């Protein structure tokens, strides 16, 4: 990842730190584990998309992939479901497509809801489907995945 100047590098570092804090908060708020979280960024599209791994400080074997960014839901999967950040992104995309389909099905089954409720379900389902498709579009772009391998932020020992 090349930065044009020190200011761009510092802005990226601040963004990455905020995403790492958000990743740890997501792990705690989702009850993935109760103890202190440790993690690292694995792949980023600077200021847009963040994929990292997080685990409890005392047990690295209980790791999760976490994705976050602009206009996408923060989400997690078990680390055993993907070997690389690209595989994790593919998994998130498929997961969101399935969830969008389920939401669409709920919308169709909800006979008691108002038409406003059905429109809201439709919006949520459509947005999630669009996010899944956009992420899958990134997964298919070979050149953006070749640039990085492994942790982008120094891992704790």
């Amino acid at each position: 990842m090349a930065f044009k100047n020190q200011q761009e590098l510092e802005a990226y570092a601040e963004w990455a730190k905020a995403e790492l804090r958000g990743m740890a908060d997501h792990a705690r708020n989702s009850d993935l584990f109760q103890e202190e979280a440790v993690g690292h960024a694995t792949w980023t599209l600077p200021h847009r998309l963040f994929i990292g791994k997080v685990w409890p400080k005392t047990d690295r074997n209980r790791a999760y992939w976490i994705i976050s960014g602009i206009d996408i839901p923060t989400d997690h999967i078990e680390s055993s479901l993907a070997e690389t950040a690209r595989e994790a992104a593919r998994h998130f995309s498929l997961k969101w497509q399935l969830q969008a389909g389920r939401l669409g099905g709920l919308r169709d089954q909800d006979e008691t809801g108002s038409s406003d409720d059905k429109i809201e379900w439709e919006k949520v389902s459509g947005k999630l489907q669009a996010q899944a498709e956009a992420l899958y579009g990134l997964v298919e772009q070979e050149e953006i995945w070749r640039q990085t391998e492994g942790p982008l932020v120094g891992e704790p020992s």
Side-chain angles (χ1 to χ4, degrees):
M1 197 173 326
F3 299 98
K4 293 178 186 167
N5 55 46
Q6 186 65 26
Q7 187 177 8
E8 278 188 12
L9 175 61
E10 289 171 5
Y12 172 77
E14 286 304 311
W15 173 79
K17 285 178 192 175
E19 292 297 323
L20 284 166
R21 282 190 299 276
M23 185 172 68
D25 290 345
H26 176 81
R28 270 191 306 281
N29 295 337
S30 299
D31 287 329
L32 299 180
F33 36 82
Q34 297 302 316
E35 55 195 285
E36 184 179 347
V38 177
H40 63 253
T42 304
W43 185 88
T44 67
L45 207 57
H47 307 286
R48 306 278 310 151
L49 182 64
F50 177 94
I51 300 174
K53 272 191 173 177
V54 64
W55 58 91
K57 189 173 186 175
T58 60
D59 188 1
R60 189 177 180 134
N61 293 325
R62 289 181 40 215
Y64 290 85
W65 288 102
I66 294 186
I67 189 170
S68 64
I70 297 190
D71 295 329
I72 65 162
T74 299
D75 202 355
H76 65 273
I77 58 172
E78 292 183 17
S79 66
S80 62
L81 295 174
E83 287 290 318
T84 66
R86 187 178 187 184
E87 289 174 15
R90 182 177 285 115
H91 191 90
F92 284 118
S93 173
L94 296 174
K95 178 182 177 184
W96 296 346
Q97 287 177 2
L98 290 171
Q99 288 174 335
R102 275 191 230 117
L103 288 172
L106 289 173
R107 175 198 67 223
D108 296 340
Q109 292 174 4
D110 186 8
E111 296 174 9
T112 61
S114 70
S115 61
D116 288 343
D117 289 342
K118 289 182 182 184
I119 290 170
E120 192 60 34
W121 277 115
E122 198 170 288
K123 285 181 186 176
V124 171
S125 175
K127 183 174 181 179
L128 191 56
Q129 180 65 34
Q131 291 164 330
E133 290 171 4
L135 182 58
Y136 193 79
L138 290 174
V139 168
E140 292 299 300
Q141 294 180 34
E142 185 72 35
E143 64 280 358
I144 67 174
W145 297 95
R146 272 189 256 142
Q147 296 172 4
T148 59
E149 290 281 330
L152 297 177
V153 176
E155 280 187 63
S157 8

